[in-house]
Amino acid sequence: MESLDSFLVQTFARNLKRLRSKAGMSQEELALKSGLDRTYVSGCERGVRNPSLVSVEKVASALGVRVEELFVGAS
Amino acid sequence: MESLDSFLVQTFARNLKRLRSKAGMSQEELALKSGLDRTYVSGCERGVRNPSLVSVEKVASALGVRVEELFVGAS
DNA sequence: CTGTGACTTTCAGTCCGTC
DNA sequence: CGACGGACTGAAAGTCACA
């Protein structure tokens, strides 16, 4: 699948990957904790998914970070 | 329609309304500038819509604010 | 452990209105 | 000007087998 050309989506993707790694979690663990599918998390990190706020909230909660953290670098 | 029970959606709703008012724009003007539908903007402000990141990016751009501003108060 | 294509179901997002 | 409803279309949500 092709990655989306939205700057916000790509920023979210990078931060998600960064924060998940920092937390020492695998995509699979994050998926489990957030109640999302492993392949969906994968798609979000690659910037090929355009998640809704409800999905954003789920991963932020699972990572134990504030939502703003997932958007750092978005101007 | 019923309002969503997502904290992030409600936070976004409040901030959107606040920032739009501050900018002195009507919902219709914001809709036009962002390329979204008038009724959709209304739904977002009432917290009955669950926007995607692409839509969030559109309204932030139209309002001339950083994305983080739309999530102020979300912990 | 992660990427990916294909797929079905649900809902984001539009457009027509009324009050 | 804004809340709200109905009907619609395209895209997001959610899942799977396989690389």
Side-chain angles (χ1 to χ4, degrees):
Chain A
M1 197 183 228
E2 187 148 342
S3 94
L4 305 180
D5 70 349
S6 155
F7 186 61
L8 187 55
V9 166
Q10 300 306 325
T11 301
F12 175 77
R14 280 194 307 275
N15 283 311
L16 177 55
K17 187 162 194 168
R18 178 178 62 81
L19 291 166
R20 177 181 61 77
S21 301
K22 190 177 167 187
M25 297 173 86
S26 67
Q27 288 182 352
E28 206 160 7
E29 288 173 317
L30 176 57
L32 201 67
K33 276 194 87 171
S34 60
L36 296 170
D37 192 80
R38 175 186 73 75
T39 65
Y40 185 70
V41 172
S42 171
C44 284
E45 288 195 359
R46 283 178 289 130
V48 301
R49 295 279 187 162
N50 175 25
S52 70
L53 291 190
V54 167
S55 295
V56 170
E57 187 171 29
K58 284 179 182 171
V59 297
S61 169
L63 285 171
V65 301
R66 283 175 297 109
V67 173
E68 290 101 318
E69 297 245 36
L70 288 163
F71 297 117
V72 298
S75 71
Chain B
M1 196 182 220
E2 189 151 340
S3 95
L4 304 182
D5 68 352
S6 155
F7 186 61
L8 187 55
V9 166
Q10 299 306 324
T11 301
F12 175 76
R14 280 194 307 275
N15 283 311
L16 177 55
K17 187 162 194 169
R18 178 178 61 81
L19 292 166
R20 177 182 60 79
S21 300
K22 190 178 167 186
M25 297 174 86
S26 68
Q27 289 181 350
E28 205 161 7
E29 286 174 318
L30 176 57
L32 201 67
K33 275 196 89 171
S34 60
L36 294 169
D37 193 78
R38 159 181 78 78
T39 64
Y40 185 67
V41 171
S42 170
C44 284
E45 289 195 358
R46 282 178 288 133
V48 302
R49 292 288 184 162
N50 175 27
S52 71
L53 291 189
V54 167
S55 294
V56 170
E57 188 172 29
K58 284 179 182 172
V59 297
S61 169
L63 285 171
V65 301
R66 283 174 296 110
V67 173
E68 290 101 318
E69 297 245 33
L70 287 164
F71 296 118
V72 173
S75 71

